[in-house]
Amino acid sequence: MNAHVAPLKQHLIDPEICIRCNTCEETCPVDAITHDDRNYVVDAAICNACGNCISPCPTGSIDHWHPVPKTAAYSIAEQLTWDELPPLQEIAPEMLEQDALDESGMPAPAGPDDEVQVNGAATTSSSTPPWSAAHPYVNLYSIKKPVTATVAGNYRLTAAEVESDVHHIVLDFGTQMF
């Protein structure tokens, strides 16, 4: 078995897009997400990349993955000071053990006998927000011009034993034009 150091795909929350709704922290089954009065952050040492926090996020701000050397993962204290995500890092070959590099000097893909990275992700980053976050739709309806919708789903995202109560509400607007 090769004992190479694979890059870590660190799960990050974009502070520019995050609306601080607390949905991600409430849905994380391993309590890897925390916050202060400024930012929500993911602890790389705890996150298992289960993805439970991604789909409930109304803005897509949580769907960012940055490859970093395991020894240089962004700390919680560092993430709490961010106003924006840092640029993607280049992983220097000297940060990896020599047997972890292929002929071109790039990180070699993990083989079946290699150590599997516990919190790796399937994608490196989500460059586009969900359609609902791409452009704010405001003042479309009013008391004089209401819209009719059917509640198609009301899913509790938090466990029954917690104090808070976060729901994911799915509305069906039918064939109405926006």
Side-chain angles (χ1 to χ4, degrees), residues 51-171:
N52 288 357
C53 58
I54 294 174
S55 63
C57 178
T59 64
S61 64
I62 196 162
D63 195 11
H64 293 275
W65 303 87
H66 282 216
V68 295
K70 283 184 181 180
T71 57
Y74 297 110
S75 70
I76 289 179
E78 183 178 9
Q79 293 177 62
L80 289 170
T81 65
W82 290 348
D83 291 324
E84 61 187 25
L85 284 177
L88 290 172
Q89 294 182 25
E90 290 286 328
I91 299 178
E94 59 270 11
M95 296 296 287
L96 300 170
E97 292 184 14
Q98 202 55 39
D99 65 344
L101 304 177
D102 63 16
E103 314 68 64
S104 67
M106 297 302 294
D113 295 333
D114 288 342
E115 176 185 338
V116 177
Q117 179 181 331
V118 175
N119 62 342
T123 63
T124 56
S125 180
S126 173
S127 59
T128 16
W131 75 268
S132 61
H135 174 75
Y137 297 94
V138 295
N139 301 323
L140 294 175
Y141 306 101
S142 66
I143 293 174
K144 292 182 180 179
K145 184 183 160 197
V147 66
T148 303
T150 304
V151 176
N154 183 353
Y155 306 99
R156 184 179 174 136
L157 300 175
T158 50
E161 65 272 2
V162 297
E163 289 180 19
S164 60
D165 192 20
V166 177
H167 285 253
H168 180 88
I169 309 292
V170 180
L171 299 175

